[in-house]
Amino acid sequence: MAVDSQQGPTNPLEPDQPLKAEPPSSGVEDIHPAAVPLEEDSAVTKAEKLERHGCGNPRQDDEPSSKRVKLDVALNVETPARTERQKGVTSIKAEFLIHSLDSRHQRSSAIVDDDAAEASVHIDRSDQGDSRNGKKKKKEKNRGQNKARSFGSSRDEKGLCQSRATYPEYSPGECPYGEKCKFEHDLRKYLKTWKREDLKTFSGECPIWSIKGRCDAGFKCRFAGSHMRERETDKGTKELILVEKEGHESDTTTSDSQHHEIVNVVSTQAKNELSKRKMQTPKADEYSIWLEKSGKETLGRSERNGSTTLMKDDDLDESLNGDTAMKDNRAQYGEPPFLSSEKRRIYFGAETPVLAPLTTQGNLPFRRLCVQMGAQLTYSEMAMSLPLIQGQKSEWALMRAHISETRPPRYSAVAAVPGYENSHDSKFGAQIAGNKPWQVLKTTEILHKLCPQLRVIDLNCGCPIDLVYRQGAGSALLDNQSKLEKMLRGMNAVSGEIPITVKIRMGTKDGKPSAMKLVNRLVYGALETSDIDKADGTSGIAAITLHGRSRQQRYTRNADWEYISDCAALIKRHKEQGDNLADTIRETDARYQPAGGNVYFIGNGDCYSHVDYNTHISQAKVDSVMVARGALIKPWIFEEIEQGQYLDKSATERLAIVEQYVRYGLETWGSDEMGVGLTRRFLLEWLSFACRYIPVGILEHLPPSLQDRPPAWKGRNELETLLGSDNFRDWIKIRHVLMLV
C-alpha cells in the first residue's frame, strides 16, 4: 500500500480523499484490538482498520516484533513493564483489559457460589415450606401489574399419543385409553397446531437418527423433518411415514431406555418392587441386626486417671458375661462371601486423573465429554440412599453410564499391583450418601444387584450443604467417626466383589481438622473395636479421597494441600511399617485389608492445570488427584494433564466442544420437546461455569488459579468475548448460535 510520509496512508476506497483519523481517546478503551491491514482484506476493511487505529506511519505494523523491540530500545522508547501478580486477581495482559464505566463491560463482583458444583439440588430453600413441622406454606399469589404472566415450558401444548408417535399415519398402534386419552391422535393436526417447528441445529439432521438409523421419538422429534416422508398409497392418498437411514440395520425392539450404549439401566419392574418394598436385601438386614446387637453388648472403654472404667451402667452380671455373649453372637453371624482382600482389585495412579462426582453438573453427557477429553475415572452424581431404596426414577437415573465409562482406565505396568487385572477394570463408580447404617447397607446391596457396571461404590462424607448436613449425612458423618466406620464395614460386607471407597473433608469447622484422626482410624482400625473383635479392627476400604477444605469453609480460600500431604504421609507410613505391627495388638487381619493392605489416597481441591496436578502428585505424594470445578470450567484439563502442556483452545474449538455436549445431551435425553428442554437446561448450567475460563493466550502470569477473579476483559475475537461473559443473556445467545431455540 502506498504511503506518504507527510499525509499518512492512502485511502483504499477514495485515493483522492485523505483518511480521517479518529478523535483522541476519551478514556474509554475500544473493544476492538488493533488490527493490521492485510493484502486479502477488502478495501472497506482496510479503510476501517486504518481509520479506527490511526493514520500514522505503518512501519511498526509491517516490521517483525523482534526488530521493533530493538528499534524501540535504540530510540529509548519505553516498553510496558510486566505487572506484578496480585493475589486473588487474574493477571490479564493490558491490551485485553477493558477500562470502562459502562456497566456492560463490568464483570459481576458477586462471589461465585461454587456450592452449585456439589449437591446444589439438595439446597434447602425457604420458599419450599417447613417440612419439619409437617406444614407447608401457602403458595403466594403473583404480584405486580402483569399477574397473568406465563413462563415457557419444555413440553408440547398438547402432546402426541405414544400409539401414534412411531407408527405410520394410517397404521397407528392401539391406544389403551381410547377416547379418554388426553393426548392428540390426529397426526397432521399435532404437526400443524401443537408441535413446534423443527430445529436447525446439526443442519437439521436428527443426531440420534444419524447414529442409530432410526429415532425413538418418531414424529415428536424436533428434527422429524430429517426422517419423515410422505408417500402415496394405493388409494391415491398421501401418508406420513418414518424412514430409516440407509446402511443401518433395522432394530425395532431397541427403545431409548434399552440403548446398547447406556449401561446400568434399571427396569421399571425393579423400581416398582423397590417402591412396594418387595425387593429383599437379606445381607443388609442380617448385618444391621448384628450391628444393633453388638452395639448394645459392646463395652466402651476410656482411660480416666490411668485406669479403665466402664462407660455403661449395665448390670454387673451382664458385664461379667459380656465376652461370652459376644462370642455367641459371632458364632451366629457368618462371614460375608467377599472379604475386603477378595474383592476386585482397583488402581489409582498418576496416569489416572479422576473426575469428581458433581451433582447436577456431572451428568452423563458431561462425563462422556470428559472421558473423550482424557478423564480416566468418573463418578455418578451424588445419590441419596433413601430415594434409591424407595425406587424413585429420578435418583436411579443417576446410576446410568455411557459405554465409554466401562472401558479400562490407563494403566502403567511400572506401578504394578498384585492381582490387578486392567482388562477387568472400568472407569465408572457410584457415589451415595446416607445418614443411617441400614440405609447405606440396603442401597449398597441393591446397587450390587441391579447395577453390574460399577467400579466402586463411594460414600460421600464431604457434602457441605445445610439440608444434607442437618439430616446427618454428608460432612455430618465426620463428627461421628464410629458411626461412619460401622457404615463402611457394613458396606464392605454386602457389596459383593465391588470395592468400597469414601470421600471426606478436613473436618466440619475451621481450625479443627479431624481428617487425620479419621484416616488413621479407617486404615489402622479403631482400638476399642479391635480389643473386642479383630474382624472389626479395620474398615477395609480400598481408597480415601480428601478434599482440603472444612465444611465451614465450603469453597472459599485455597485448599490446604499441606494437610492433604500429611494425611498421605500417614498412609505411606502404614504401608512401610506394616511389618512392624506384626504380632501386636495393632496388627490388622490380612483378610480384611483391600489389595494386600494397599489403601489408595486421592487429593482434591483447586486443581486447574497440569502444573497443579503434577505438583500435587510429586509434592503431596498422593496417588492421584480428583478434579472438580477445574473440569467444569475447562473439560480439556485432562488433555493438558496427559500432554503435559497448556492448551490454548480457540473460541471456535471451544464452541465445537459445547456443540458436542449438546449432541451428547440429545442422545441421552432424547430429541423430542422434553429432551431438548433438558439439554437446554443443563447446557446453561454448565455455561455458568465454563464462562469463568480465561484463555491462556491473554494471561500475563501462569499457572492460572481457580480462586482468582478477573477484571473486565475482552477476548481476541467477538466469539471469545461472548464465551467469557458472565451475563446469562450471553449464555442464551450461545444457545442461539447453536440454534437450540
Side-chain angles (χ1 to χ4, degrees):
M1 181 185 303
V3 179
D4 188 332
S5 60
Q6 299 296 328
Q7 299 181 357
T10 305
N11 189 334
L13 290 179
E14 297 290 341
D16 298 334
Q17 299 293 330
L19 286 170
K20 297 180 181 180
E22 286 191 344
S25 174
S26 59
V28 179
E29 183 175 334
D30 191 0
I31 63 173
H32 298 283
V36 181
L38 305 175
E39 292 296 333
E40 60 269 20
D41 287 343
S42 64
V44 177
T45 304
K46 290 180 180 178
E48 184 182 6
K49 289 180 177 179
L50 289 171
E51 280 200 340
R52 178 180 295 134
H53 305 297
C55 304
N57 193 331
R59 172 195 61 80
Q60 295 182 353
D61 293 334
D62 296 335
E63 294 176 346
S65 58
S66 58
K67 186 174 181 181
R68 291 201 304 270
V69 172
K70 293 179 181 179
L71 291 175
D72 291 342
V73 173
L75 297 174
N76 295 325
V77 178
E78 294 184 2
T79 57
R82 187 178 180 87
T83 59
E84 295 293 334
R85 186 163 189 171
Q86 184 178 355
K87 185 177 181 181
V89 179
T90 304
S91 300
I92 298 178
K93 295 178 181 178
E95 58 267 29
F96 297 102
L97 293 175
I98 299 178
H99 306 287
S100 173
L101 298 178
D102 190 349
S103 60
R104 292 175 301 175
H105 299 319
Q106 295 296 326
R107 295 187 67 87
S108 173
S109 59
I111 299 177
V112 179
D113 182 16
D114 279 328
D115 286 341
E118 186 175 355
S120 64
V121 73
H122 303 292
I123 295 177
D124 190 15
R125 304 183 187 277
S126 58
D127 58 357
Q128 293 178 348
D130 190 357
S131 59
R132 290 173 295 178
N133 299 328
K135 299 179 180 179
K136 294 185 178 180
K137 294 183 179 179
K138 294 182 179 180
K139 184 178 180 181
E140 295 183 1
K141 297 181 178 180
N142 292 333
R143 298 180 179 180
Q145 295 180 347
N146 186 14
K147 296 182 179 179
R149 62 189 181 273
S150 61
F151 301 93
S153 173
S154 59
R155 297 175 181 267
D156 292 323
E157 188 174 349
K158 186 174 183 180
L160 180 66
C161 180
Q162 192 61 33
S163 64
R164 305 298 194 270
T166 57
Y167 295 90
E169 181 182 6
Y170 297 149
S171 303
E174 183 179 355
C175 178
Y177 301 99
E179 296 180 356
K180 297 181 180 180
C181 182
K182 62 180 180 180
F183 296 104
E184 183 63 65
H185 283 200
D186 188 336
L187 177 59
R188 291 186 182 269
K189 183 178 180 180
Y190 166 77
L191 295 175
K192 181 179 180 180
T193 307
W194 308 122
K195 185 176 181 293
R196 299 179 185 178
E197 63 178 348
D198 283 359
L199 297 174
K200 305 301 180 183
T201 316
F202 313 125
S203 301
E205 183 175 87
C206 175
I208 299 177
W209 180 78
S210 62
I211 295 175
K212 296 176 55 178
R214 60 185 300 272
C215 178
D216 300 312
F219 292 108
K220 295 192 293 184
C221 176
R222 290 296 302 275
F223 304 87
S226 62
H227 49 73
M228 179 181 68
R229 299 290 184 270
E230 196 174 42
R231 69 179 179 184
E232 188 171 348
T233 64
D234 297 337
K235 298 180 181 180
T237 58
K238 293 184 177 180
E239 179 186 25
L240 292 174
I241 62 170
L242 297 171
V243 297
E244 297 181 357
K245 190 173 183 179
E246 297 181 0
H248 287 73
E249 296 182 1
S250 176
D251 185 7
T252 57
T253 61
T254 302
S255 64
D256 182 57
S257 61
Q258 297 172 335
H259 193 260
H260 65 279
E261 290 192 349
I262 306 298
V263 299
N264 294 337
V265 179
V266 180
S267 65
T268 303
Q269 180 182 356
K271 297 173 188 174
N272 290 337
E273 289 181 2
L274 287 170
S275 62
K276 296 176 182 179
R277 300 182 181 181
K278 292 184 177 180
M279 183 170 290
Q280 302 298 321
T281 54
K283 294 180 182 179
D285 296 339
E286 185 177 3
Y287 199 96
S288 297
I289 295 174
W290 180 77
L291 274 180
E292 184 178 357
K293 288 183 178 179
S294 62
K296 292 179 180 179
E297 297 170 351
T298 299
L299 300 177
R301 293 183 174 90
S302 66
E303 294 183 359
R304 182 180 300 171
N305 298 327
S307 61
T308 302
T309 59
L310 296 178
M311 301 297 294
K312 291 186 177 181
D313 295 331
D314 295 332
D315 294 334
L316 181 61
D317 294 339
E318 293 185 35
S319 300
L320 296 175
N321 298 328
D323 292 340
T324 304
M326 283 182 287
K327 289 180 180 179
D328 292 340
N329 276 332
R330 287 203 303 272
Q332 296 172 6
Y333 176 74
E335 288 186 344
F338 282 93
L339 301 177
S340 299
S341 59
E342 300 171 338
K343 293 180 180 292
R344 186 195 315 124
R345 301 293 174 91
I346 59 175
Y347 173 74
F348 289 91
E351 68 274 26
T352 59
V354 186
L355 175 64
L358 303 165
T359 300
T360 304
Q361 308 295 333
N363 46 60
L364 189 150
F366 182 76
R367 296 197 311 268
R368 183 180 175 185
L369 183 67
C370 289
V371 169
Q372 179 185 336
M373 295 285 180
Q376 296 302 307
L377 302 173
T378 62
Y379 285 90
S380 70
E381 304 173 49
M382 184 186 74
M384 301 301 294
S385 295
L386 193 57
L388 287 175
I389 297 173
Q390 295 171 343
Q392 292 188 12
K393 296 180 180 179
S394 58
E395 213 73 11
W396 276 105
L398 304 180
M399 297 297 109
R400 295 186 178 188
H402 188 257
I403 192 172
S404 61
E405 298 179 85
T406 65
R407 300 189 180 103
R410 195 163 47 238
Y411 174 64
S412 174
V414 177
V417 178
Y420 173 71
E421 297 184 17
N422 182 252
S423 59
H424 294 172
D425 202 355
S426 63
K427 295 182 173 69
F428 179 72
Q431 187 186 66
I432 62 174
N435 60 348
K436 293 181 175 63
W438 71 266
Q439 291 181 3
V440 296
L441 293 183
K442 279 182 172 288
T443 303
T444 302
E445 185 172 356
I446 294 171
L447 285 175
H448 173 253
K449 184 182 300 183
L450 300 181
C451 298
Q453 298 290 344
L454 287 180
R455 183 179 195 258
V456 297
I457 298 177
D458 185 80
L459 180 63
N460 183 298
C461 303
C463 179
I465 302 304
D466 293 336
L467 181 60
V468 178
Y469 180 80
R470 288 201 301 267
Q471 291 177 350
S475 56
L477 293 173
L478 299 177
D479 292 333
N480 197 339
Q481 297 185 2
S482 176
K483 177 182 177 181
L484 171 58
E485 188 182 8
K486 290 180 180 179
M487 295 168 72
L488 292 173
R489 288 200 305 268
M491 291 172 66
N492 258 312
V494 302
S495 64
E497 73 281 0
I498 304 177
I500 301 299
T501 62
V502 63
K503 186 173 186 287
I504 63 176
R505 281 184 175 241
M506 290 173 52
T508 56
K509 297 181 180 180
D510 285 346
K512 297 181 179 180
S514 59
M516 180 78 75
K517 179 181 177 181
L518 177 59
V519 169
N520 185 76
R521 180 176 188 136
L522 295 180
V523 174
Y524 288 99
L527 183 60
E528 63 269 21
T529 55
S530 62
D531 284 342
I532 297 170
D533 191 345
K534 291 181 67 62
D536 282 346
T538 175
S539 61
I541 56 174
I544 301 174
T545 302
L546 175 60
H547 186 174
R549 291 184 174 90
S550 65
R551 178 202 174 251
Q552 184 179 359
Q553 187 179 349
R554 296 290 180 102
Y555 295 92
T556 60
R557 303 192 301 276
N558 294 326
D560 191 348
W561 275 91
E562 291 186 4
Y563 189 84
I564 295 177
S565 178
D566 294 340
C567 294
L570 174 66
I571 294 184
K572 186 177 181 181
R573 288 196 301 270
H574 168 70
K575 297 176 183 178
E576 295 175 349
Q577 301 176 2
D579 294 338
N580 298 334
L581 299 177
D583 301 326
T584 67
I585 194 173
R586 299 292 287 169
E587 180 187 10
T588 55
D589 194 330
R591 296 178 302 164
Y592 299 92
Q593 287 294 312
N598 184 25
V599 180
Y600 292 101
F601 191 74
I602 300 97
N604 174 224
D606 296 344
C607 183
Y608 193 36
S609 66
H610 69 284
V611 175
D612 295 335
Y613 185 88
N614 294 330
T615 300
H616 299 330
I617 292 290
S618 60
Q619 296 184 7
K621 304 298 182 182
V622 293
D623 293 303
S624 186
V625 177
M626 180 176 284
V627 186
R629 290 176 296 164
L632 288 173
I633 297 173
K634 57 171 187 179
W636 58 92
I637 185 176
F638 300 104
E639 287 185 346
E640 293 185 349
I641 293 172
E642 182 179 358
Q643 299 180 19
Q645 62 180 359
Y646 292 105
L647 297 179
D648 189 8
K649 297 281 187 180
S650 66
T652 305
E653 291 176 310
R654 291 167 60 194
L655 186 64
I657 294 174
V658 175
E659 183 178 341
Q660 188 64 54
Y661 174 80
V662 172
R663 186 181 294 274
Y664 289 160
L666 294 175
E667 292 180 20
T668 302
W669 296 305
S671 56
D672 59 351
E673 187 64 35
M674 178 67 72
V676 171
L678 286 173
T679 303
R680 288 197 195 110
R681 171 198 165 189
F682 290 111
L683 171 64
L684 294 178
E685 290 190 4
W686 175 40
L687 290 178
S688 68
F689 282 91
C691 70
R692 291 165 56 180
Y693 172 71
I694 311 296
V696 176
I698 71 173
L699 291 178
E700 196 166 23
H701 297 282
L702 293 174
S705 174
L706 194 60
Q707 296 298 103
D708 289 351
R709 296 295 178 261
W713 60 277
K714 60 189 177 186
R716 291 164 290 191
N717 52 54
E718 292 184 4
L719 180 58
E720 192 168 73
T721 304
L722 182 66
L723 290 171
S725 173
D726 60 352
N727 191 321
F728 73 93
R729 295 181 179 87
D730 290 328
W731 307 339
I732 298 177
K733 287 181 182 178
I734 296 173
R735 195 185 75 185
H736 286 187
V737 170
L738 298 173
M739 294 180 288
L740 195 67
V741 295

